[in-house]
């Protein structure tokens, strides 16, 4: 299976990037290919619907990864009670053909100890717009749980991150089994 991990902070040394990196490590396994799109590294033009955007290398990379993905883990910082503008911009390049029928897990990275839920709710609303199947399991990690120096996160948060990651993998596996059984009966998928 292929899982696309999107990191939605445009800051170069971001907490969201650290969480995405930990998720990629958790996902590593013989049957999983991890695709990585970090908006801080893969800089996208601001979506303007201009035909020239179609040939932009990073737009093509994002769309190709999303096409290939069987599931998504999307990480956003909470900025002013919502998702980051750069993640919203990335999602504006995608649509229902990329997401429909595939599960997604969402993770928010907050600050101040009480944030995150607004970003998750905002992201869930946006992903509804692209027909993503967002699983009920979700997670907020606060920046106090992250050691930016070592790129590690506290054990309780890492365990919860493992839980939501495994839930995504389990759901992708279930969909693959269902698809195989339909195909073996000659039914249209
Ligand atoms: C412009 C801005 C707005 C923010 N707004 C919120 C907020 O509404 N709620 C919250 O919990 N944290 C807020 N934060 C803190 C970030 O969520 C926090 O730093 C987090 O670790 C993610 O940031 P990063 O991935 O860009 O490092 C804000 C940070 C910035 C820069």
């Amino acid at each position: 299976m292929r899982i696309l991990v999107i990191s939605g902070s445009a800051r170069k040394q971001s907490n969201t990037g650290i969480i995405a990196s930990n998720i990629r490590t958790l996902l590593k396994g013989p049957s999983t290919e991890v695709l990585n799109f970090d908006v801080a590294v893969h800089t996208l033009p601001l979506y303007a619907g201009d035909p020239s955007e179609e040939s932009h290398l990073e737009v093509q990379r994002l769309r190709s990864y999303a096409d290939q993905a069987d599931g998504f883990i999307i990480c956003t910082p909470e900025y002013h009670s919502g998702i980051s503008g750069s993640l919203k911009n990335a999602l504006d390049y995608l649509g229902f053909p990329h997401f429909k029928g595939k599960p997604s897990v969402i993770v928010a990275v907050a600050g101040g100890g009480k944030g995150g839920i607004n970003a998750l709710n905002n992201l869930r609303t946006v992903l509804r717009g692209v027909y993503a199947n967002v699983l009920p399991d979700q997670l907020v990690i606060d920046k106090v749980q992250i050691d930016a120096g070592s790129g590690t996160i506290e054990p309780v948060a890492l365990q919860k991150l493992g839980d939501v990651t495994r839930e995504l993998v389990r759901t992708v596996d279930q969909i693959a089994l269902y698809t195989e059984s339909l195909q073996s009966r000659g039914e249209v998928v």
Side-chain angles (χ1 to χ4, degrees), residues 44-48 53 59 62-63 89-95 98:
L44 294 162
L46 189 61
Y47 180 81
E53 292 160 0
V59 172
L62 175 62
R63 287 178 172 161
N89 185 54
L91 294 171
D92 287 343
Y93 280 103
L94 301 175
H98 301 104

Side-chain angles (χ1 to χ4, degrees), residues 13-66:
Q13 309 290 333
S14 74
N15 292 322
T16 306
I18 290 172
I19 297 306
S21 165
N22 277 268
I23 290 170
R24 292 197 300 274
T25 303
L26 287 164
L27 279 169
K28 266 187 199 144
S31 58
T32 309
E33 185 184 342
V34 184
L35 302 169
N36 172 34
F37 195 92
D38 181 338
V39 300
V41 177
H42 307 293
T43 311
L44 294 162
L46 189 61
Y47 180 81
D50 191 292
S52 67
E53 292 160 0
E54 301 296 315
S55 56
H56 192 284
L57 182 68
E58 297 302 350
V59 172
Q60 290 183 345
R61 184 198 307 276
L62 175 62
R63 287 178 172 161
S64 163
Y65 284 1

Side-chain angles (χ1 to χ4, degrees), residues 9 11 13-17 77-81 109-112 115-116 143:
S9 172
R11 295 197 323 111
Q13 309 290 333
S14 74
N15 292 322
T16 306
E78 178 160 291
Y79 287 163
H80 299 324
S81 305
V109 186
K143 67 179 176 187

Side-chain angles (χ1 to χ4, degrees), residues 142-156:
D142 194 273
K143 67 179 176 187
V144 298
Q145 298 175 288
I146 300 170
D147 180 352
S150 63
T152 56
I153 58 180
E154 68 178 32
V156 174

Side-chain angles (χ1 to χ4, degrees), residues 91-169:
L91 294 171
D92 287 343
Y93 280 103
L94 301 175
F96 77 89
H98 301 104
F99 285 101
K100 195 165 169 37
K102 303 175 185 178
S104 294
V105 154
I106 55 175
V107 177
V109 186
K114 291 184 183 158
I117 192 66
N118 287 318
L120 287 177
N121 287 337
N122 180 206
L123 184 53
R124 201 171 271 280
T125 301
V126 171
L127 289 171
R128 164 66 183 77
V130 290
Y131 276 77
N133 175 12
V134 185
L135 299 188
D137 300 80
Q138 58 185 21
L139 185 61
V140 171
I141 295 183
D142 194 273
K143 67 179 176 187
V144 298
Q145 298 175 288
I146 300 170
D147 180 352
S150 63
T152 56
I153 58 180
E154 68 178 32
V156 174
L158 186 60
Q159 192 186 333
K160 288 181 180 166
L161 207 52
D163 290 344
V164 294
T165 300
R166 275 189 295 280
E167 187 57 19
L168 179 78
V169 169

Side-chain angles (χ1 to χ4, degrees), residues 64-80:
S64 163
Y65 284 1
D67 271 337
Q68 293 174 56
D70 301 302
F72 299 81
I73 300 189
I74 305 178
C75 308
T76 183
E78 178 160 291
Y79 287 163
H80 299 324

